[in-house]
Amino acid sequence: MSVAVVAHAGKTFDGGLPELRRLLADRGFTDPLWFEVPKSRKAPARIVEALDQGADLILVWGGDGTVQRCLDAVARHDEHHKAAIGILPAGTANLLAGNLGVPSGLEAALEVALDGDRRHLDMGVVNGQYFAVMAGTGLDALMMKEADAGLKDKVGQLAYIYTGARAVRAAPVTMTVKVDGRKWFDGQAGCLLLGNMGKLTGGLVAFPDARPDDGLLDIGIVTATSSVEWARVLTRLVAGRASRSKLVRITKGRRLTVKLGHKRPYELDGGARPKTKRLKITVAPRAVTVCAPAPSNE
């Protein structure tokens, strides 16, 4: 098996990249393809290079932004050679790792990458970019945009709490949403959330029935327009009953078109993207292969 490492050099956990080299050498991988990048935007080119050199397993060291960009690069690559992706979760939220059950420790996460199951996952596609876990516009995107502006690097997960409190004061936006060719929603909303998997930051479950291999996206609209209404929705979310709120609508679909009354940012797997008035969303079935813990026999 040919192993490659694509690492965000600014991210670290446990013993850092030197410890990863040691652990790989202990397993017989003494000379892996090795790429370190200063920012997540530089990672896709290294992914393509690793694939072109025949890597069977690519270990991605970084946070959600790095993982999303790496999976995007793999999904776009020639389908005749797509390496498995092993996640070494060195970020703040680690959304995909959390949904897959990848351990937070370096040695345990590496064991999953080398010896765990290989799972074929669908990916959502928003305006041509792939995501594995969540995407959306409205409250969540405003939160991510502010958190990405340096605060997340300083205070970690607390950034999401602070920016969330600020974002709920933002005005709702008019949305027209078509799902599989039919108008599903037309009105004011505070948030549109798309889920390929169910868990949000902090382990909150937005879509308990979401499956990343069913060819569908879970779709949620929150019509809360005030801090009081958002508090009601978030209280139900924490209790695992968000879908029961009168301020929440949920469905599933394969294709969506979204028109916004004015430009808003959107987010992919926790990473902010520029403002837009239109979103075109589809599902790419079995677009990537990821390493996950083997199912328990219990």
Side-chain angles (χ1 to χ4, degrees):
M1 180 170 63
S2 174
V3 174
V5 174
V6 175
H8 189 312
K11 304 289 185 178
T12 189
F13 71 121
D14 284 356
L17 290 171
E19 178 67 3
L20 175 58
R21 283 189 182 273
R22 186 190 70 78
L23 291 171
L24 283 170
D26 287 347
R27 292 292 302 269
F29 301 102
T30 56
D31 191 27
L33 296 171
W34 194 277
F35 307 97
E36 295 184 29
V37 297
K39 56 182 64 176
S40 63
R41 291 181 180 179
K42 302 289 185 180
R46 304 287 77 81
I47 289 288
V48 172
E49 190 172 345
L51 291 169
D52 288 344
Q53 293 189 44
D56 302 303
L57 171 65
I58 302 177
L59 302 174
V60 175
W61 170 290
D64 291 320
T66 304
V67 171
Q68 182 271 324
R69 292 181 188 276
C70 288
L71 289 175
D72 179 274
V74 172
R76 295 173 186 274
H77 197 263
D78 183 350
E79 64 181 12
H80 295 297
H81 182 77
K82 290 186 177 179
I85 296 294
I87 302 169
L88 304 178
T92 303
N94 301 311
L95 280 173
L96 181 55
N99 275 275
L100 292 172
V102 175
S104 58
L106 175 55
E107 188 169 0
L110 180 60
E111 184 176 346
V112 168
L114 295 176
D115 301 324
D117 276 6
R118 300 300 190 252
R119 292 186 60 184
H120 301 293
L121 300 185
D122 303 336
M123 292 193 75
V125 188
V126 179
N127 289 1
Q129 291 187 293
Y130 291 76
F131 70 93
V133 183
M134 295 274 177
T137 187
L139 174 72
D140 60 319
L142 293 171
M143 287 171 58
M144 300 306 173
K145 183 180 180 181
E146 289 203 33
D148 280 351
L151 186 63
K152 189 168 62 175
D153 291 333
K154 296 177 181 178
V155 298
Q157 296 248 34
L158 291 176
Y160 298 116
I161 298 173
Y162 174 75
T163 59
R166 286 169 54 91
V168 295
R169 297 198 295 269
V173 62
T174 300
M175 297 185 189
T176 300
V177 182
K178 289 185 178 180
V179 178
D180 294 333
R182 296 184 177 184
K183 185 181 290 187
W184 175 66
F185 180 84
D186 189 3
Q188 286 198 324
C191 178
L192 167 70
L193 191 64
L194 312 167
N196 190 41
M197 296 183 175
K199 292 182 183 178
L200 299 167
T201 298
L204 297 175
V205 178
F207 300 114
D209 299 326
R211 287 180 50 198
D213 57 1
D214 62 359
L216 298 169
L217 291 174
D218 284 59
I219 305 153
I221 282 271
V222 180
T223 57
T225 59
S226 68
S227 297
V228 172
E229 289 181 340
W230 266 111
R232 294 174 186 168
V233 173
L234 295 174
T235 299
R236 285 186 176 269
L237 179 63
V238 170
R241 300 192 301 271
S243 62
R244 299 181 187 179
S245 171
K246 294 180 180 179
L247 300 169
V248 175
R249 292 181 60 182
I250 291 178
T251 190
K252 293 177 181 282
R254 292 180 172 83
R255 295 178 294 109
L256 292 85
T257 56
V258 181
K259 295 181 181 179
L260 304 176
H262 57 270
K263 287 187 176 182
R264 280 287 182 90
Y266 65 101
E267 61 92 5
L268 302 176
D269 286 346
R273 295 294 186 271
K275 293 181 179 181
T276 185
K277 289 181 68 174
R278 293 177 179 268
L279 299 172
K280 182 179 179 180
I281 302 142
T282 57
V283 181
R286 298 169 66 89
V288 293
T289 302
V290 297
C291 305
S296 173
N297 293 323
E298 296 179 4

